[in-house]
Amino acid sequence: MNKEVFEAYNNKLKSKLFGLLCEREKGREWEKFLDSILIELMGFKEEQKTINYYILFHKLSSLRYLKYEYFRATIFDCMELISK
């Protein structure tokens, strides 16, 4: 994947994470949205799965079990992780 496409994908993923936070705040079906993000990440090729990928995937996987304050903090942690 070239650098421009990679950066564009990262920006889109950060946007999806912010959208996930908004869905939870509005009391909508955020879990379905979370599942769609996780399914998308599972589609990565093995050579694309870095340490940060695994950290991101596991943090996102834990979201459905967290209280709101930790959910929100974890979303922002994940957005920061994507920026690295």
Side-chain angles (χ1 to χ4, degrees), residues 9-60:
Y9 179 76
N10 284 347
N11 287 334
K12 183 159 183 73
L13 185 55
K14 284 191 277 187
S15 178
K16 285 182 178 186
L17 293 181
F18 188 75
L20 177 63
L21 177 60
C22 293
E23 289 297 299
R24 170 119 189 229
E25 288 176 344
K26 294 176 183 175
R28 296 187 183 156
E29 294 189 27
W30 63 271
E31 288 181 284
K32 287 183 181 180
F33 193 23
L34 172 60
D35 287 340
S36 72
I37 294 169
L38 292 172
I39 289 167
E40 184 176 321
L41 289 174
M42 288 168 42
F44 275 47
K45 295 177 182 172
E46 200 58 41
E47 60 270 8
Q48 294 173 306
K49 294 180 180 179
T50 63
I51 282 285
N52 285 347
Y53 165 88
Y54 286 107
I55 293 169
L56 176 68
F57 188 84
H58 292 294
K59 281 185 176 227
L60 291 176

